[in-house]
Amino acid sequence: MPDCSVVVISYNDAARLPRAVRSVLRQTLRDLEVIISDDASTDGTPEVAARLMAEDPRVRYLRRESNSGGCGAPRNDGIDAARAPYAMFLDSDDELPRHACKSLLTEIERTGADFVSGQISRLFERDGRLRPYYPSLFARRRVVEGIRAEPELFLDSFSTNKLYNVAWLRDNVLRFPEDIHYEDHVFATELYAVARRFAIVPWVVYHWHRASSNESISLSIDEMDNVRQRVIAARLSDDILRGYGAEDLVPHRQYRFLRQDLRVYLNPLPARDLVWVKEFASVVRPYLEEIPGEVFDRIEPMDRVCCRLILDDRIDDLRVAAGSLTGPRAAPRAAVQVDGRTYWGTTAAPWLDITPLRLAELPYTDSRLRHEVTGLATNGERVRMIVRTYDPFGVLPPEWEAFLEAGGERVPIRPVPSGDGGYVSEVVFSPCGRSDPRIGFRRRSDGHVTTDRLIVDPNLEPIELPGCTVKAEGYAAYLCVRTHSRVRSALRRARRLLLKLNTPRAKLRAYKLLIKVVPRRDDLALFESDVGKGYNGSPRAIYEEVRRRGLPIEAVWSVAKGRKNFPADARLVRRGSWRYLWTMARAGIWVDSHGFPLDYPKPPGTRYLQTWHGQGIKSIGFDAPDLRGDFDRPREQWRAAVARWDALVSPSAEFSRVFLPSNGYDGKVYRCGTPRCDALVRAKATGDVRARLEIPPGRKVLLYAPTYRDRDKMSGRSVRADLDLMARELAGEWVVVLRTHPVEKYDPPERLRHFVRPAASYPEINDLMLASDALLTDYSSVMCDYAVTGRPMVFLIDDWDDYRLSERGVYHDLPAIAPGPCVTTTAELVDVLRNLPEVHAAFAAKYAAFRALWCADEHGDASARIVDDFFEGRRR
């Protein structure tokens, strides 16, 4: 008897069947059987199955005499034929990850559950990208004591991401319905109704292939019968719950229909013709009428608006509303604001309430205008458009300038009032390269600009122009310009050729030759901050002190791709370019805050000032995760990089105590404070943060600056505060300025932009600190700089044990030394902020001790003293 039976159902899919079967045969669980359950295919499936059986005796083949028209019957055949105590289902166009069977088998035996469910991921064949399906459902490993404990799991109605106890299935006579599509929805509902305990695992156990040519039932959403079948499956599922005496669960199952099933058809609705949309509404309306109002209250505002429009048979409005569900989420044509609430359309009706989206509260630069292209023509080179602009939230000021932005160019336009609060523009431009044209309005009072994309008819015929195509793209049908395939191919070939010439190895070899033959210039200095990402930090402070004194030093700044905000008169060189290598080889002075390319030796005679970029409690150097392992190459590489330094800026005695031995540095140390903190000591800001970030008068500013997690870089998971809760509780009093770490990626959702100002790309963090009223952080080194200001700090450390023991590691017990409260929940954070003056006063002694530990040397003259010695002392 095998340990597991995997039932692979197939119908006329001979080409992909071997891929599915072999994904099972490659499982790390070797003692299994594969049951190919063929629903009377008319292609070469029998021959393919015969070859697979000949290749591996674990493969069995079942064939129905006639096609059943669905997936239920072949799956039931598999249940009947299974010889193992446990079973899984696999569709012939999908695959199992290599450890799926073994990991699920281990879990079901460990827990004694009726079944185990794991994460399913969509695999997009075009680019190999994997996207998990409702990852929040599988965020943690657990045993669920019946569906009532977690009714949101109705969202997981797949049959293929589960391992089942076969005897339990047979004892409870759990079968797939055989006369409908979406049989897995009905099967899963009964599964949940019967199961007393089941397990959830967070890892991926199923790869659901998505191809543009996929003809699966779930993707045949253009057909009206597909809609009918999904509604039938929903009704049957509700009836099953009622039959098991679980009427209280019916609303939760209906919530699944509104949130997931209905959205499948609403997303592409703008591209449907009116006849299709009207028939669709007539099919789903009777079922929507059965759903109680409290279920609609749980779904997203625009989904609820669409449901109301279906119920009211407002077909034209439904197509408009559906365009706001996906992509850039187009603004409505009209909105009504009454008593602090915002309503979609022209009527203040409860079902049309979109206040939670906060569209009417966005700052001007995020404001939502709607631009519809009502006429489009071309003369073969230029495009002429008539654009209708709607201002549903009344954000346009009395004086503005308008323009079309496309391909990096701005074309001035002159919108004229349309008589109903909107505008009409005639726009003429010459498409060039790849772009997503936008219309922008610049507010003359402060120069702020808001831009939005152009909505076009989804069925717009593509317009071919020299080198590019103008067309509609996406469900919401936005205008875009795309280069021709032959142009793209030529560019790709040129790029590949350049990459062959510009390999890192070739550049390093050339650089090592250059430093041997190129004369050094003692009056040439190369400055770099944050590996070229900005004009900031201590290198900036030292550079400006050199400039202020008028020293005869030619300074060049290293700039990463796409970075701006450097002085207009500064000499710039692209980091990693050939010119960059030439400058590195010739410069007699290097100044940076992180590290010039690690494998590049310093030219003979060049002096290297390392300012570093922070101090704090986190482990660094050879104690940090990326170097603490006993791997020779990275440790040797970093040891050689540190050996290049001729001088190091040390902000404090504590920094020297920890940093020097953990990095193996024994050279010259400047103990005179931190150049970048000079501006904090003097409270000297270089920009108006409140104006630039559009912070309303009277609002307090909370600077939220979390550090990254080594295991989750670029994931957004460092933002651990519940920003939705904070917005609900604090939006009238505070604004959060979110400064994520450079190796983090997080974009606040639009509903939070009225409360959260993303500032990851803001050029100077000192300005953010000086503009803030308090700091929220976790383990970031920003805490040591911020202590210079003396302002309140709060620490959200919900993962403290994990961070210090298994993530990064620390040198200090933060809760013991923190100059402010350490909280583990957002609710605690809100309470602290509401009583911040009293809380801050209670930490006065610990704040003073913290400053004495990290900031005792900060007197505002670090840049001057370092320039005196490193630059002027050398000259003297």
Side-chain angles (χ1 to χ4, degrees):
M1 180 187 295
D3 288 330
C4 179
S5 298
V6 180
V7 180
V8 183
I9 65 168
S10 183
Y11 174 67
N12 284 352
D13 198 18
R16 292 179 293 193
L17 178 61
R19 181 183 68 186
V21 170
R22 285 171 181 145
S23 77
V24 182
L25 298 176
R26 288 195 300 266
Q27 291 290 299
T28 49
L29 177 67
R30 303 298 299 167
D31 192 8
L32 51 73
E33 67 171 353
V34 183
I35 302 173
I36 300 174
S37 187
D38 180 8
D39 199 8
S41 296
T42 59
D43 64 355
T45 295
E47 291 77 15
V48 170
R51 287 198 299 271
L52 290 169
M53 286 190 292
E55 292 174 9
D56 197 308
R58 294 176 295 171
V59 181
R60 298 166 58 199
Y61 180 58
L62 307 177
R63 177 178 172 83
R64 295 184 67 81
E65 293 183 1
S66 60
N67 180 255
S68 67
C71 301
R75 283 186 180 140
N76 288 335
D77 292 344
I79 294 175
D80 295 337
R83 295 184 300 192
Y86 303 104
M88 286 189 74
F89 299 106
L90 173 64
D91 293 346
S92 60
D93 54 345
D94 298 331
E95 292 180 274
L96 295 183
R98 193 160 181 262
H99 304 292
C101 292
K102 178 180 280 189
S103 63
L104 290 176
L105 178 64
T106 301
E107 194 71 3
I108 200 168
E109 291 184 336
R110 183 184 73 85
T111 61
D114 298 326
F115 66 89
V116 181
S117 184
Q119 176 74 69
I120 190 168
S121 276
R122 289 165 289 183
L123 194 159
F124 294 88
E125 295 182 353
R126 182 180 59 186
D127 53 13
R129 181 168 44 96
L130 276 172
R131 179 176 294 174
Y133 181 90
Y134 285 115
S136 60
L137 298 178
F138 305 93
R140 57 189 178 86
R141 187 177 182 180
R142 62 200 187 276
V143 174
V144 182
E145 301 296 337
I147 189 64
R148 280 188 177 86
E150 294 187 37
E152 64 272 17
L153 285 168
F154 277 120
L155 286 168
D156 173 22
S157 289
F158 290 95
S159 60
T160 51
N161 63 331
K162 298 172 176 64
L163 179 76
Y164 306 88
N165 182 320
V166 174
W168 178 78
L169 289 180
R170 291 169 178 166
D171 289 345
N172 288 279
V173 198
L174 289 172
R175 311 281 289 178
F176 289 88
E178 299 187 2
D179 54 351
I180 64 166
H181 294 163
Y182 300 105
E183 73 296 324
D184 49 349
H185 294 192
V186 182
F187 175 80
T189 300
E190 188 167 13
L191 189 76
Y192 286 129
V194 173
R196 293 295 171 259
R197 68 195 310 260
F198 54 92
I200 304 291
V201 296
W203 52 83
V204 175
V205 300
Y206 194 87
H207 286 165
W208 178 18
H209 278 255
R210 304 300 296 270
S212 57
S213 60
N214 202 324
E215 298 179 355
S216 68
I217 292 171
S218 62
L219 296 181
S220 304
I221 59 175
D222 294 342
E223 302 169 10
M224 196 56 60
D225 189 57
N226 187 279
V227 183
R228 294 188 181 94
Q229 290 286 328
R230 201 180 287 256
V231 172
I232 290 171
R235 277 209 172 93
L236 281 174
S237 298
D238 296 349
D239 290 341
I240 283 175
L241 292 174
R242 295 186 184 105
Y244 279 98
E247 289 194 8
D248 59 306
L249 291 175
V250 172
H252 296 287
R253 180 58 182 74
Q254 292 170 334
Y255 170 72
R256 182 237 145 77
F257 179 85
L258 297 180
R259 182 175 174 183
Q260 174 61 33
D261 298 338
L262 190 64
R263 276 295 295 269
V264 170
Y265 305 103
L266 290 177
N267 288 341
L269 206 63
R272 308 292 192 198
D273 61 60
L274 286 175
V275 174
W276 195 98
V277 178
K278 193 167 184 67
E279 186 177 0
F280 162 76
S282 69
V283 170
V284 301
R285 186 181 300 116
Y287 183 62
L288 295 185
E289 291 173 341
E290 300 173 12
I291 299 176
E294 59 267 21
V295 180
F296 291 98
D297 292 339
R298 295 179 56 193
I299 62 178
E300 292 295 317
M302 284 309 303
D303 294 76
R304 188 168 58 249
V305 168
C306 289
C307 289
R308 181 72 265 168
L309 298 175
I310 291 172
L311 290 168
D312 292 346
D313 200 24
R314 294 167 57 182
I315 303 307
D316 286 323
D317 288 341
L318 175 60
R319 293 178 71 197
V320 173
S324 299
L325 295 173
T326 60
R329 300 182 182 274
R333 288 174 176 170
V336 178
Q337 298 179 54
V338 179
D339 298 330
R341 310 295 297 179
T342 304
Y343 302 89
W344 190 92
T346 58
T347 305
W351 278 52
L352 304 179
D353 190 335
I354 59 171
T355 306
L357 299 179
R358 303 294 178 184
L359 296 175
E361 304 168 51
L362 293 172
Y364 182 75
T365 50
D366 284 321
S367 292
R368 304 312 305 271
L369 302 177
R370 183 183 181 95
H371 310 293
E372 293 185 9
V373 177
T374 59
L376 192 150
T378 178
N379 62 3
E381 294 183 356
R382 296 164 67 82
V383 171
R384 178 180 176 274
M385 300 184 296
I386 303 298
V387 180
R388 176 74 184 274
T389 295
Y390 299 86
D391 182 12
F393 307 108
V395 299
L396 287 179
E399 294 188 354
W400 42 258
E401 298 169 357
F403 57 87
L404 174 79
E405 188 175 73
E409 296 187 7
R410 285 188 173 183
V411 179
I413 61 176
R414 298 182 179 277
V416 297
S418 60
D420 56 0
Y423 297 86
V424 176
S425 312
E426 181 177 342
V427 183
V428 180
F429 75 108
S430 299
C432 169
R434 180 186 176 92
S435 67
D436 298 317
R438 294 172 175 266
I439 284 183
F441 284 80
R442 178 181 176 274
R443 193 162 60 187
R444 285 180 176 169
S445 61
D446 56 17
H448 285 306
V449 172
T450 183
T451 64
D452 285 279
R453 294 180 65 181
L454 281 70
I455 301 170
V456 294
D457 182 345
N459 301 305
L460 172 73
E461 288 292 330
I463 298 174
E464 300 295 336
L465 295 172
C468 66
T469 302
V470 179
K471 62 178 184 177
E473 189 172 90
Y475 289 143
Y478 284 86
L479 186 72
C480 66
V481 180
R482 298 292 180 259
T483 52
H484 286 159
S485 57
R486 62 178 180 275
V487 176
R488 291 196 301 271
S489 298
L491 290 173
R492 282 196 293 268
R493 287 194 297 271
R495 193 177 295 115
R496 283 195 294 267
L497 178 60
L498 287 174
L499 286 174
K500 288 181 180 179
L501 299 175
N502 284 331
T503 63
R505 186 175 180 181
K507 287 185 174 180
L508 181 58
R509 291 172 61 185
Y511 172 80
K512 288 181 176 179
L513 177 62
L514 281 175
I515 62 176
K516 293 178 181 178
V517 299
V518 173
R520 186 185 72 253
R521 283 184 51 189
D522 290 336
D523 64 342
L524 177 63
L526 178 60
F527 285 80
E528 183 173 290
S529 183
D530 193 13
V531 291
K533 294 178 182 176
Y535 173 68
N536 51 30
S538 291
R540 171 183 177 173
I542 292 171
Y543 167 79
E544 291 179 349
E545 179 65 16
V546 169
R547 291 282 302 272
R548 187 187 67 79
R549 298 188 185 193
L551 299 183
I553 292 174
E554 182 182 348
V556 178
W557 272 92
S558 161
V559 183
K561 181 181 179 180
R563 300 294 170 158
K564 301 178 182 178
N565 299 307
F566 285 79
D569 60 346
R571 279 193 58 196
L572 307 179
V573 59
R574 166 81 176 277
R575 192 178 199 271
S577 66
W578 287 103
R579 190 162 153 247
Y580 175 77
L581 304 187
W582 173 256
T583 306
M584 282 184 69
R586 299 187 69 204
I589 299 172
W590 288 1
V591 181
D592 95 312
S593 63
H594 285 67
F596 287 107
L598 296 183
D599 289 326
Y600 284 64
K602 186 180 61 174
T606 293
R607 295 181 302 124
Y608 186 171
L609 173 61
Q610 174 57 256
T611 68
W612 207 241
H613 50 275
Q615 58 174 335
I617 68 168
K618 298 187 296 185
S619 66
I620 50 177
F622 295 113
D623 298 334
D626 52 345
L627 291 178
R628 71 167 66 117
D630 190 19
F631 299 103
D632 291 341
R633 171 62 181 158
R635 292 171 68 87
E636 289 177 3
Q637 187 182 42
W638 182 242
R639 192 173 287 111
V642 170
R644 299 178 300 179
W645 302 348
D646 294 286
L648 171 69
V649 175
S650 172
S652 65
E654 181 62 16
F655 177 87
S656 294
R657 182 187 73 82
V658 171
F659 187 90
L660 271 58
S662 64
N663 286 273
Y665 178 74
D666 58 3
K668 182 172 184 174
V669 175
Y670 286 117
R671 274 283 313 282
C672 52
T674 317
R676 70 173 177 277
C677 288
D678 290 348
L680 296 177
V681 175
R682 301 170 188 163
K684 180 182 178 183
T686 58
D688 188 347
V689 172
R690 298 187 72 97
R692 183 164 175 174
L693 296 182
E694 302 175 89
I695 297 172
R699 301 282 177 87
K700 290 182 285 188
V701 175
L702 178 66
L703 174 59
Y704 182 18
T707 193
Y708 66 94
R709 303 308 191 262
D710 288 85
R711 294 196 295 258
D712 289 313
K713 294 177 182 177
M714 303 304 288
S715 69
R717 293 183 185 138
S718 68
V719 182
R720 305 181 71 85
D722 184 341
L723 297 176
D724 283 288
L725 174 60
M726 292 179 68
R728 288 195 299 271
E729 299 292 333
L730 303 170
E733 184 180 0
W734 289 85
V735 167
V736 169
V737 172
L738 180 59
R739 175 76 169 200
T740 50
H741 193 277
V743 299
E744 183 60 287
K745 183 178 182 180
Y746 177 80
D747 190 26
E750 188 177 62
R751 67 178 183 276
L752 291 173
R753 294 294 179 91
H754 71 292
F755 175 66
V756 179
R757 301 293 188 270
S761 60
Y762 198 92
E764 180 56 72
I765 191 173
N766 278 354
D767 292 348
L768 301 179
M769 287 192 270
L770 292 173
S772 67
D773 295 282
L775 170 71
L776 171 62
T777 187
D778 42 26
Y779 320 109
S780 172
S781 61
V782 72
M783 67 177 79
C784 298
D785 288 2
Y786 199 82
V788 174
T789 70
R791 298 172 188 176
M793 286 188 264
V794 186
F795 302 85
L796 178 60
I797 57 169
D798 60 309
D799 62 339
W800 168 242
D801 286 338
D802 181 60
Y803 189 85
R804 68 188 178 91
L805 296 175
S806 61
E807 170 73 29
R808 181 61 182 254
V810 296
Y811 297 114
H812 292 269
D813 182 6
L814 180 59
I817 69 168
C822 292
V823 299
T824 58
T825 68
T826 305
E828 293 178 84
L829 169 62
V830 169
D831 288 340
V832 167
L833 292 174
R834 284 175 171 161
N835 301 281
L836 193 58
E838 296 84 354
V839 173
H840 182 51
F843 278 83
K846 293 185 75 172
Y847 206 121
F850 191 87
R851 291 187 63 170
L853 182 64
W854 303 107
C855 310
D857 295 333
E858 302 295 354
H859 303 296
D861 61 352
S863 301
R865 293 174 65 181
I866 291 171
V867 170
D868 276 344
D869 186 80
F870 193 84
F871 289 86
E872 298 236 71
R874 176 79 170 192
R875 290 177 62 233
R876 289 194 294 268

